[in-house]
Amino acid sequence: SCGTTMVYPWDFYYGRIEARIRIGSGSGVVTAMLLLGPAPSDEIDFEWVGKDTTHVQTMYYVQSHRVDNLPEVFGAAQNNGDLSTTFQDYAIELNKDSVKWYLNGILLRTLNKGAQEFPSDASRARMGIWDGTQTSGWAGTVDWSQGPFTAEMQWFNFTPYC
């Protein structure tokens, strides 16, 4: 859980966060853009595992419980391949009855309220890079001799829905 995280300083209930991101690469390196609520946390996220720079993962949690047993994984080959060498636009849209994840304006996934547990209190935007070594192999193990490990964000936009 070691790494840098930028936190948007205000809570919101519904809206859209967007960012242009170049992910970090390397085993154990995890880049994340997410919405997180107060403990016990609801969470909605994009995560990129640095040992696989051609895919993006979407996940969500309700009261700190991961609802999807496995992340939804989307290939990026049609979107310029290696996500650690190019900037891509990502968005998460949280509505009263749905969550939508976008890559370069293309809808990747929709979660509708009522289908299963729904993250209704993910209220603060975050973006960061962290050490995923302790994730039971999911992210791999960081080899610190290969660092530094960086991710970049060219811009961030937040649009609240009233």
Side-chain angles (χ1 to χ4, degrees), residues 36-87:
L36 184 69
S41 303
D42 284 2
E43 179 179 330
I44 302 165
D45 63 30
F46 269 121
E47 288 188 327
W48 301 268
V49 179
K51 70 179 186 178
D52 178 6
T53 60
T54 62
H55 291 87
V56 59
Q57 301 181 12
T58 64
M59 290 179 266
Y60 69 100
Y61 297 74
V62 175
Q63 296 186 344
S64 299
H65 166 74
R66 184 170 170 177
V67 178
D68 339 16
N69 289 328
L70 297 172
E72 296 270 338
V73 178
F74 299 93
Q78 69 275 22
N79 293 304
N80 301 318
D82 187 344
L83 301 173
S84 71
T85 61
T86 60
F87 284 90

Side-chain angles (χ1 to χ4, degrees), residues 108-124:
L108 295 178
R109 178 182 184 186
T110 300
L111 171 67
N112 291 309
K113 188 173 187 175
Q116 28 187 329
E117 295 178 89
F118 190 79
S120 58
D121 194 21
S123 56
R124 190 160 289 186

Side-chain angles (χ1 to χ4, degrees), residues 8-29:
Y8 190 77
W10 296 281
D11 290 333
F12 73 97
Y13 290 100
Y14 307 111
R16 182 179 175 112
I17 61 168
E18 303 170 276
R20 179 166 292 151
I21 298 170
R22 184 192 58 77
I23 71 164
S25 66
S27 182
V29 177

Side-chain angles (χ1 to χ4, degrees), residues 102-136:
Y102 296 87
L103 169 56
N104 294 324
I106 298 168
L107 179 64
L108 295 178
R109 178 182 184 186
T110 300
L111 171 67
N112 291 309
K113 188 173 187 175
Q116 28 187 329
E117 295 178 89
F118 190 79
S120 58
D121 194 21
S123 56
R124 190 160 289 186
R126 298 170 179 255
M127 195 284 183
I129 186 169
W130 54 279
D131 175 3
T133 298
Q134 301 300 319
T135 58
S136 301

